[in-house]
């Protein structure tokens, strides 16, 4: 038997952070482009942008900032708040996964 | 912000224990009747019975036993294995909820 968990964070009853949402933000950070992050998650640009705006609205914090086009085209990057939230959530998720595994072994070991 | 989790246990890739499934088993234990347990969860008797059989099949363990009718009608009760699994899962879930709350406070406290 293996324990499984789905984890997310709500604010005022609305989902603000989840594996899916944080993966999108992490990809913006890695690629420097919301379009590339969206493509990597098989999302339309419009949908990815809407998701980012939804998280920002629910948190009341700006997470992604975009640069105007120019010669090389525009790009997007995380704000300092965005990067901090991604890092905290990933740390939180890693800790929870370890705890769940430990608690499962402690509870069910040699009994099921 | 509040952390939220959905927890379950798989065996060979199939869900065997979850809040929903364990609630059904717990209600059988409390009411002594699969029909009453089903009603309390707004499930048809047929669906509740199918769910119990599915868990038993996936776990390879008998969890619920039924008595034949007689004057007072038949009843259902958990086997020793069934009661033990319900207790272990509930203990596991309580521990995980406490851990998730602790990890969340530890990670996000005064930073978000």
């Amino acid at each position: 038997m293996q324990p499984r968990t789905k984890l997310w964070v709500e604010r005022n009853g609305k989902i603000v952070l989840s594996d899916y949402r944080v993966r999108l933000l992490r990809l913006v950070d890695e690629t420097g482009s919301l379009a590339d992050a969206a493509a990597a998650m098989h999302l339309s640009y419009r949908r990815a942008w809407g998701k980012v705006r939804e998280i920002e609205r629910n948190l009341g914090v700006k997470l992604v900032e975009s640069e105007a086009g120019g010669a090389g085209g525009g790009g997007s990057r995380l704000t300092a708040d965005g990067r901090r939230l991604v890092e905290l959530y990933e740390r939180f998720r890693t800790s929870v996964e370890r705890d769940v595994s430990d608690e499962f072994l402690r509870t069910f070991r040699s009994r099921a």
Side-chain angles (χ1 to χ4, degrees), chain A:
Chain A
M1 295 204 294
Q2 299 87 36
R4 301 288 310 271
T5 44
K6 190 170 150 80
L7 189 65
W8 70 98
V9 176
E10 294 185 357
R11 182 165 183 265
N12 299 327
K14 290 177 178 166
I15 303 178
V16 288
L17 297 172
S18 64
D19 287 5
Y20 171 86
R21 288 162 177 79
V22 169
R23 189 172 160 229
L24 177 62
L25 295 173
R26 165 61 72 193
L27 282 165
V28 170
D29 195 40
E30 288 174 2
T31 63
S33 157
L34 184 60
D36 289 350
M41 290 186 68
H42 305 292
L43 293 174
S44 70
Y45 180 78
R46 185 190 174 82
R47 190 167 162 75
W49 192 239
K51 187 55 71 178
V52 168
R53 285 286 163 265
E54 181 191 286
I55 305 169
E56 290 182 334
R57 195 169 54 242
N58 291 342
L59 272 176
V61 174
K62 188 157 178 59
L63 302 175
V64 173
E65 54 195 1
S66 294
E67 293 156 17
S76 295
R77 62 182 177 197
L78 297 187
T79 62
D81 283 337
R83 186 166 293 115
R84 195 184 53 176
L85 273 173
V86 165
E87 283 166 7
L88 292 178
Y89 182 85
E90 290 177 345
R91 198 182 309 164
F92 172 53
R93 186 183 53 202
T94 300
S95 301
V96 166
E97 283 168 358
R98 187 198 55 219
D99 291 346
V100 167
S101 179
D102 289 352
E103 294 290 4
F104 186 76
L105 288 174
R106 191 175 301 136
T107 311
F108 283 87
R109 183 182 350 225
S110 75
R111 306 200 225 184

